[in-house]
Amino acid sequence: MGAAAAELHDLYLPCPRGLEQVLADELAELGSATLRIEPPQSGGVAARGTFDDVMLLNLHSRIASRVLLRAGRSRVRDADDVYSLARRLRWERWFDARSTLRIDLSAERSQLDSLQFAALRAKDGICDHFRGIGQQRPDIDRANPDVRVHLHLNADSALLYLDTSGEALFKRGWRTEHGEAPLKENLAAGLLRLAGWTPQVVLYDPLCGAGTVAIEAAQIACGVAPGAQRTFAFERLRGFDARRWRQLRAQAEARRRAPPAPLFAADIDPRMVRLAHDNAQRAGVADALSLHQGDVMDAQPPLTLAPGQAAQIVTNPPYAERIEAKGSEADAFLPRLGDVLKQRFAGWRAALLLADVHAERALRLKAARRHVVYNGAIECRLFTFELVAGRPSRKPG
Ligand SMILES: C[S@@+](CC[C@H](N)C(=O)[O-])C[C@H]1O[C@@H](n2cnc3c(N)ncnc32)[C@H](O)[C@@H]1O
C-alpha cells in the first residue's frame, strides 16, 4: 500500500440525533484495522481512517447520514477568517478547477453574524485558491455538483470538510415513491439496532407504510450492503482507486445470503402494501419479506414460534393526527393496540416509535427501555416492551 493510501484522515459521520451510540457500535463492527472511532458526540461520530475506510463506511454504514473528510479547521472570529482558512487549504489535492462545486452549511452555537455570508466567503476562498495557483475559478452547481464542500461552524471554529458521500446515505437508491410519512432509511436501521433486533430474530412490522423498517431489516438479514445500489461523491475525487472500489463492492456482494429468520410486514392500506412490495423488489429483498394487507387490530402472530425462537415487532404507528378516524376512535388507537399486543403477542418483544410521551399510559404497557430519537425535527421515543403471557391490562393511570 502506498503512503497516500495509508494516510489517516479526520472523519465525521453525522447521524439522526439519538442514534450516535448505535452508529459508533455499527462502525466498530465493520472490522477495519485502521479505523479509530471516537466517543459519540451529539449528532454524530468522529473517527480517523484511511481512504479505504472512507469507501468502506460509505458502502456499509446503515446509520450514518454522510461521511465527511476534514480538509481543515481554524478558530474564526468573522467571515474573513473563514475565507482565509478556505483559501489556504490545498484543494487541488482532491479536485481540480474544472470540477463544479457546492457548499453545504451546518452550525451549532456559531457567533458569526451571517452563516450564509460565511458560506459565500468559504466559496470565495476556494475559488481564489485555484486562481492563486494559476487555474480558473470552479463553477458552482447546486443541483448536481462534482464536489460538495461542507462548512461547519461552531462556537469559535470553522471546519471545512469534503463530503465523500454526495447524496445523503439514507438514499439507498431503491426508493422512488414515498407514501405518507416514511421514515428515513438510516433512522429505520438505527431503530432496529436500538430495539436489539438481530437477523436471527423473527421480525414483524404490522403498520409498515412504504416498508422502510422491514426492508432495512431484510437487507441486514440478507447481507445486502446499503450502498450497493448507488454512487458516491468520492468516486469523482482525484486519486480515487477504482480497482480497490470494485474489490470492496465485490466483497460486499459475496456476503449475500438467505435471511436466517422470516420477516413480515403489513398495512391496512392496500396501496401501501403494493408500494412496500415495489420498494422491496427494487431493494432486492422481495423474496425475503412476506407482505400482507390487514388491520393491526385483527393481527395475529404471522407464525407459531418454535421453543426458544425469538420474535419482535418493530414499528412506527401513525401519529394521532394521521389516524383516519378522528375523535374517540383516534383516541382509542393506542389502547386497542396495547390490548392486541398483550393478548396476542405474548412471548414477543415490541419496539414502537411514538411521538407521544404519554404513550405508555395510552398503551397500558410499561416499557422495559425508552430511547429518545429524532425523526427529523420531531422528538420521539422508541419504547421497547417485553410482552409476557397472561398479564391483565391495567386501567390508564
Ligand atoms: C407512520 S406510517 C408508517 C411509515 C413507515 N414506517 C414507513 O417508513 O413508510 C403508519 C402506517 O400505518 C398504517 N395504518 C394506520 N392504521 C392502521 C391499522 N389499523 N392497521 C394497519 N395499518 C394501519 C397507515 O396506512 C400508514 O401506512
Side-chain angles (χ1 to χ4, degrees):
M1 188 171 28
E7 182 184 351
L8 290 175
H9 303 283
D10 285 305
L11 309 175
Y12 187 73
L13 291 85
C15 67
R17 273 197 296 157
L19 298 184
E20 297 86 351
Q21 185 59 56
V22 282
L23 170 60
D25 296 344
E26 175 193 67
L27 302 185
E29 284 172 24
L30 289 182
S32 161
T34 42
L35 188 68
R36 296 281 169 274
I37 303 154
E38 290 175 22
Q41 310 166 14
S42 167
V45 175
R48 269 173 83 70
T50 61
F51 204 82
D52 231 48
D53 290 323
V54 166
M55 294 193 278
L56 202 71
L57 292 167
N58 274 295
L59 180 59
H60 288 290
S61 177
R62 297 181 193 277
I63 300 174
S65 303
R66 304 180 170 280
V67 181
L68 303 174
L69 183 154
R70 194 158 90 196
R73 162 190 199 141
S74 80
R75 284 182 163 263
V76 293
R77 277 157 308 160
D78 52 33
D80 284 340
D81 291 341
V82 176
Y83 171 86
S84 305
L85 169 66
R87 180 157 187 174
R88 75 164 183 267
L89 298 175
R90 289 181 50 238
W91 298 103
E92 67 277 16
R93 196 191 150 179
W94 298 107
F95 58 95
D96 68 31
R98 283 164 307 182
S99 304
T100 56
L101 194 65
R102 159 178 164 159
I103 313 280
D104 291 319
L105 174 69
S106 59
E108 203 184 346
R109 291 179 290 122
S110 168
Q111 309 293 317
L112 300 197
D113 295 335
S114 162
L115 302 177
Q116 290 305 332
F117 185 59
L120 206 66
R121 295 302 281 152
K123 182 212 74 179
D124 290 343
I126 296 170
C127 290
D128 288 351
H129 175 86
F130 279 104
R131 288 281 293 275
I133 58 169
Q135 296 189 25
Q136 66 194 65
R137 295 170 70 90
D139 285 331
I140 298 296
D141 179 349
R142 288 209 57 78
N144 187 27
D146 296 316
V147 176
R148 291 177 194 231
V149 169
H150 189 104
L151 169 64
H152 180 75
L153 295 163
N154 63 26
D156 59 3
S157 305
L159 296 98
L160 279 164
Y161 294 100
L162 279 166
D163 180 345
T164 68
S165 304
E167 291 271 35
L169 293 180
F170 67 80
K171 296 188 181 168
R172 313 289 202 218
W174 53 257
R175 198 195 284 281
T176 52
E177 286 176 76
H178 293 265
E180 215 177 87
L183 293 177
K184 288 201 168 113
E185 290 74 354
N186 61 337
L187 177 57
L191 295 180
L192 286 160
R193 214 174 237 272
L194 275 180
W197 175 82
T198 60
Q200 286 67 38
V201 176
V202 175
L203 181 97
Y204 183 28
D205 181 353
L207 300 134
C208 73
T212 321
V213 171
I215 291 170
E216 280 300 311
Q219 286 207 327
I220 295 167
C222 296
V224 178
Q229 283 177 261
R230 54 164 280 168
T231 59
F232 298 94
F234 66 72
E235 296 172 58
R236 297 191 198 179
L237 292 179
R238 202 172 242 180
F240 163 62
D241 183 347
R243 214 170 121 244
R244 179 68 184 135
W245 176 228
R246 275 196 301 277
Q247 220 172 37
L248 289 174
R249 286 174 61 103
Q251 283 167 3
E253 193 57 38
R255 288 192 213 155
R256 277 198 188 233
R257 56 173 187 180
L263 301 122
F264 302 91
D267 200 282
I268 197 166
D269 183 343
R271 287 168 310 171
M272 282 297 151
V273 178
R274 255 195 316 278
L275 177 56
H277 175 264
D278 293 348
N279 280 337
Q281 204 144 39
R282 281 187 288 267
V285 293
D287 291 346
L289 185 61
S290 306
L291 276 158
H292 64 273
Q293 188 264 325
D295 186 338
V296 69
M297 301 309 170
D298 303 326
Q300 297 287 347
L303 83 174
T304 309
L305 297 181
Q309 190 172 22
Q312 185 158 11
I313 288 173
V314 180
T315 196
N316 159 218
Y319 298 138
E321 65 271 21
R322 290 226 174 80
I323 295 171
E324 294 273 318
K326 297 283 172 225
S328 60
E329 228 182 287
D331 292 343
F333 191 85
L334 287 183
R336 287 180 64 207
L337 182 61
D339 286 344
V340 169
L341 295 176
K342 275 176 287 199
Q343 288 161 9
R344 302 189 210 139
F345 287 85
W348 286 57
R349 180 189 275 177
L352 272 55
L353 182 74
L354 290 158
D356 179 357
V357 280
H358 304 299
E360 284 172 86
R361 200 160 64 191
L363 286 159
R364 292 176 293 201
L365 277 168
K366 187 160 166 40
R369 281 175 302 284
R370 303 164 194 91
H371 290 279
V372 174
V373 252
Y374 282 79
N375 181 4
I378 306 171
E379 183 183 311
C380 298
R381 276 166 188 71
L382 183 73
F383 298 97
T384 306
F385 304 99
E386 308 287 346
L387 302 168
V388 290
R391 187 196 284 164
S393 87
R394 284 196 281 124
K395 288 261 176 281

